[in-house]
Amino acid sequence: MKRFLSIALGCILMPVLAGAQTTFQLTVANPLKADREAQPVVVQLSRYGIDVRQAVVTLNGQEVPSQLDDLDGDGRYDELCFLTDIAKRGKQQFTVQLLTQGEPRQYEPRVYADMMLTNRKIKSSNKQDLYISSLTVDRGVNPYSMLHHHGPAFENELVAYRVYFDHRQTIDLYGKYRKGLELRQTQFYPDAEQKAAGFGDDVLWVGNTLGLGTLRGWDGQSPQMLNDVQYRTLRVVSRGPLRTIVEVKDEGWRSTSAANAFHPAPITMLTRYTLYAGRRDCQVDIRFDKVATDYRFATGLINVKNSEEYSDKHGLRGCWGTDWPVSEKDSAGHKRETVGLGIYLAENNIVSELPADKDNYPFVISTATDELHYNITFCSANETFGYHSAREWFDYLEKWRRELQHPLLY
């Protein structure tokens, strides 16, 4: 799996310095006997020792859309990414040109992300005046109602996610009928006219559950919300055109449970959510401010009402079920929604896969380092392009797991 913290590039690199540019060949190989679509290729720029301002990627002489990202906000681009479709056991050779002058090249956006303040006095035509990139709050401040759709939302052509900006930090879902970008128009809450026109909608009620792969604490008995945090920050790191990156930083989180043996001291967590164009799954990468061996955490899936569970008992878990997407007392104007959910964790991070309870399909997880990584995915049965039964969904999860276990080689 390609990660935002440390990526080993098993590639053939032939740097050629020519004034203010570096050019190299990057060979990408697919180790699976299966065709693959929308596969991310991520290049760490620090190894080239130049301040990259522009990049050009080509394959067989044709330009490939790419994206430069400044992940830490220091004004220098840290990563270059692009996407590729590749045949089974196939190989591709890309030419990458890095330049120290100019601006990033512009491509058709295939993703979208926003975070917006709430202000009823602002007319819909001026909503862009409410867009923000980052918000930090002190302990005890709950900005949940200060933000439209209660936190950052992000999408690609297939799916949309949002992160609640409160002590829950739950991952919630917006499903689509047709492929396309919608959130700029619907802002996660389509009106009756938009629904009639075929726009998507919220498809999952999450409440206080784990939603889809939400990170929580673990007090030895149950998942623990992140209540006691010195500072909490949500930030939209990147808006595209090929991937969105949203991060949550919980500084100085302290366990408030009496059973806090697993949490001996405050810890700071940076959780980053990365969604690529053309993919329904989202990459979750967590970095702690110290080695977190003595800590336990929880994640997993909401137990959707009457859902059917799937697990390979080695880190892949899913469900398929139907429920109201809002609390039942607020269900007017909504219909019951059927969704498929999935999560995949590295087996060495799993302390235990707990039996389903009335709310969740939970895991207890840990790490021997200062990092944690896992992936989440979902579908809505409303999709004209997706999956419409538990069997289809669970087959997809198996295919998804194989791809995650066998990333592209480069």
Side-chain angles (χ1 to χ4, degrees), residues 124-276:
S124 59
S125 59
N126 295 324
K127 286 292 187 183
Q128 64 183 24
D129 294 340
L130 300 173
Y131 288 11
I132 59 175
S133 295
S134 178
L135 181 64
T136 299
V137 297
D138 293 351
R139 175 183 284 129
V141 176
N142 183 356
Y144 178 83
S145 297
M146 296 166 50
L147 296 173
H148 188 68
H149 49 62
H150 308 302
F154 49 101
E155 67 170 338
N156 62 20
E157 310 98 316
L158 308 179
V159 291
Y161 297 79
R162 66 174 167 180
V163 183
Y164 283 159
F165 197 172
D166 62 7
H167 61 294
R168 295 174 297 169
Q169 294 180 191
T170 314
I171 310 303
D172 195 12
L173 311 176
Y174 177 106
K176 301 187 181 186
Y177 288 85
R178 61 195 181 195
K179 294 181 181 181
L181 303 182
E182 301 184 3
L183 292 188
R184 186 183 291 275
Q185 298 104 301
T186 67
Q187 290 300 317
F188 220 94
Y189 305 115
D191 58 28
E193 184 177 344
Q194 289 172 325
K195 288 183 180 182
F199 283 83
D201 203 354
D202 188 348
V203 293
L204 188 68
W205 176 87
V206 295
N208 292 324
T209 71
L210 292 170
L212 178 59
T214 305
L215 180 70
R216 296 270 169 82
W218 178 258
D219 66 2
Q221 299 178 343
S222 61
Q224 183 181 30
M225 296 187 194
L226 305 180
N227 290 293
D228 194 353
V229 173
Q230 185 67 39
Y231 301 102
R232 197 186 326 270
T233 300
L234 261 74
R235 183 166 77 101
V236 179
V237 178
S238 177
R239 290 182 168 86
L242 299 179
R243 67 177 180 180
T244 65
I245 303 173
V246 168
E247 67 180 25
V248 184
K249 188 173 186 180
D250 296 289
E251 296 185 60
W253 175 60
R254 297 188 300 187
S255 169
T256 56
S257 169
N260 62 354
F262 290 125
H263 299 278
I267 192 167
T268 293
M269 299 169 286
L270 180 69
T271 304
R272 185 169 287 163
Y273 300 95
T274 304
L275 176 67
Y276 287 93

Side-chain angles (χ1 to χ4, degrees), residues 17-22 48-56 68 76-77 97-104:
L17 295 178
Q21 72 177 39
T22 296
Y48 299 103
I50 60 174
D51 183 7
V52 177
R53 297 287 96 192
Q54 186 179 174
V56 182
L68 291 166
R76 295 173 65 98
Y77 293 116
Q97 185 180 30
L98 306 177
L99 300 99
T100 59
Q101 296 181 353
E103 297 291 330

